Amino acid sequence: MADPSLHTDASRARRVGRRYAEVDQIVTALRDLRSAAEDRDAARELAAEDPEFAAEAQRDAERVATLREHLRELLAPRDEDDSRDVLMEIKAGAGGEESALFAAEMLRMYRQYALSRGWTLEVIDSTDSDLGGIKDATLSIRAGSSAVDGGAGTGGGAADGVWAHLKHEGGVHRVQRVPVTESAGRIHTSAVGVLVMPEADETDEAELLAEQMVPANLRIDVFRSSGPGGQSVNTTDSAVRITHLPTGIVVSCQNEKSQLQNREQAMRILRSRLLEARRAEQDAEASASRRSQVRTVDRSERIRTFNFPESRVTDHRTGFKAGNLEAVLAGDLDALIDSSRRAEAEQRLREAAEGEL
């Protein structure tokens, strides 16, 4: 980290910085544990002569147990992408216009959550609905070089980035409420799909990208943008659609004013999708229990339900329920996200223990 030559390569410096953060939190936890153990031993020696120190010895022993468990969690196998930034896609599904309206609310929710953590959320591409909702949106959420996360919640640490917190948001989010379009006051159920991918660095898995991103594998079409925008909208061929011929992946961007900017954004999304597809294939070969995200945006495949009449949000994977729906939609996602992170940490610890047997 102190070598000036490292910082001439921004991507390499970023990877080394991530690794430093991972090691640093483990070393810090170990030092804290050793210090607490010394305090406990000293208090026990004093308690042998003076019973008044017995309570202090007990508190120190409890702190040692807590710190030991924390260190155990840090040493458990981790997701190698935890420190990465993410690309997120939000898509309206079952429910028509009501689904599109809630998709817009979810976008605002993630924007507020990102703001609360000091992250940057950028809307790369979006398609609006007739009543002010969104049919779909692609977002980039980045921690930035200075936003080192202290990790509120289980398993949190300086190495934890955007992916560590938002990877469990992928899936179908169901909403139950009376839509603004409903005149009879009946509760409707709609669904919004969320897909989350770790964002690829330009140098990540360079051989794969060099093979997959060759011009022969790409069909690039340009067309006129649609929807509200600047003077160039509907007058110039600034929108870009890129089709990756070997996989059939299609990416389109139209939010930027210039064709070059839209092309760069589309290439950025395509890189991450190819890398995510590669990881999914590798994980499927290694384990049949890989988490799934959105297969179809159908109400029955929900991971979370937002129940407006009862002001409750339920995570169906962990069983956690939050009774502050308005606060959640305002970006207060910590409790929900922590429930998923705890479940993941426990699963990884179980797998690690089974591997030691």
Side-chain angles (χ1 to χ4, degrees):
M1 292 288 288
D3 184 356
S5 65
L6 171 69
H7 302 281
T8 61
D9 184 339
S11 180
R12 180 167 174 259
R14 187 176 178 84
R15 289 197 299 273
V16 173
R18 288 171 180 163
R19 181 57 182 156
Y20 176 84
E22 292 171 1
V23 175
D24 181 63
Q25 65 178 346
I26 294 172
V27 171
T28 299
L30 179 60
R31 288 173 177 165
D32 290 344
L33 176 58
R34 287 175 173 171
S35 177
E38 291 175 359
D39 292 343
R40 177 203 58 195
D41 294 342
R44 284 176 175 174
E45 290 180 7
L46 292 171
E49 300 178 1
D50 186 347
E52 291 186 2
F53 285 95
E56 181 178 343
Q58 179 61 30
R59 287 194 298 270
D60 289 339
E62 292 172 356
R63 184 165 182 264
V64 167
T66 300
L67 290 171
R68 181 179 287 115
E69 181 62 23
H70 176 56
L71 180 59
R72 181 168 170 263
E73 290 175 358
L74 291 177
L75 291 173
R78 296 177 63 82
D79 185 336
E80 63 181 14
D81 292 325
D82 272 354
S83 59
R84 289 185 182 274
D85 299 325
V86 307
L87 289 179
M88 176 183 286
E89 297 180 9
I90 301 175
K91 295 180 179 293
E97 191 64 42
E98 163 64 4
S99 175
L101 289 170
F102 191 65
E105 290 188 50
M106 291 193 67
L107 171 55
R108 289 191 289 270
M109 177 183 74
Y110 288 123
R111 188 189 299 277
Q112 289 302 115
Y113 179 69
L115 182 63
S116 72
R117 303 200 72 90
W119 299 340
T120 301
L121 186 149
E122 172 193 4
V123 178
I124 297 176
D125 195 52
S126 66
T127 305
D128 296 336
S129 69
D130 294 336
L131 296 182
I134 57 171
K135 296 179 181 178
D136 58 75
T138 301
L139 325 173
S140 166
I141 307 177
R142 293 181 166 182
S145 58
S146 61
V148 178
D149 175 24
T154 301
D160 289 346
V162 184
W163 174 254
H165 291 82
L166 295 184
K167 59 184 169 184
H168 300 293
E169 295 301 296
V172 175
H173 297 246
R174 186 174 67 172
V175 56
Q176 296 174 322
R177 66 179 178 184
V178 178
V180 295
T181 56
E182 170 60 50
S183 59
R186 293 171 298 185
I187 296 174
H188 288 223
T189 300
S190 304
V192 173
V194 176
L195 177 66
V196 189
M197 300 173 289
E199 182 163 7
D201 292 337
E202 291 189 4
T203 56
D204 281 346
E205 303 185 36
E207 292 184 2
L208 169 69
L209 293 179
E211 175 185 346
Q212 295 286 343
M213 299 286 282
V214 293
N217 285 346
L218 306 177
R219 186 177 74 228
I220 302 177
D221 302 308
V222 296
F223 56 97
R224 292 190 178 182
S225 302
S226 61
Q231 293 181 348
S232 61
V233 173
N234 293 318
T235 61
T236 61
D237 292 334
S238 60
V240 175
R241 181 188 301 110
I242 301 179
T243 304
H244 188 253
L245 299 175
T247 63
I249 295 174
V250 179
V251 177
S252 61
C253 284
Q254 64 174 7
N255 277 28
E256 303 297 336
K257 293 184 178 180
S258 77
Q259 184 183 124
L260 178 60
Q261 289 174 314
N262 282 320
R263 178 186 172 120
E264 290 174 350
Q265 296 284 37
M267 293 289 280
R268 175 181 168 188
I269 297 171
L270 179 59
R271 278 197 302 270
S272 290
R273 286 190 179 177
L274 286 171
L275 289 170
E276 174 65 10
R278 167 90 180 272
R279 292 188 185 98
E281 181 180 348
Q282 292 174 335
D283 289 350
E285 292 174 356
S287 171
S289 61
R290 171 172 168 78
R291 291 187 314 273
S292 63
Q293 290 195 22
V294 181
R295 295 191 298 278
T296 60
V297 186
D298 183 85
R299 287 181 287 255
S300 63
E301 293 189 359
R302 84 280 191 204
I303 64 162
R304 194 173 288 162
T305 294
F306 294 77
N307 187 309
F308 277 72
E310 299 179 9
S311 187
R312 186 182 67 239
V313 184
T314 302
D315 192 300
H316 301 287
R317 299 159 300 179
T318 65
F320 182 84
K321 296 181 180 180
N324 57 338
L325 185 147
E326 289 189 7
V328 169
L329 288 177
D332 186 5
L333 288 169
D334 285 331
L336 281 162
I337 287 173
D338 283 350
S339 73
S340 296
R341 300 190 69 197
R342 280 193 297 271
E344 180 192 16
E346 291 168 2
Q347 177 64 26
R348 288 183 178 275
L349 287 171
R350 283 195 297 271
E351 292 174 353
E354 291 171 359
E356 293 172 358
L357 296 177

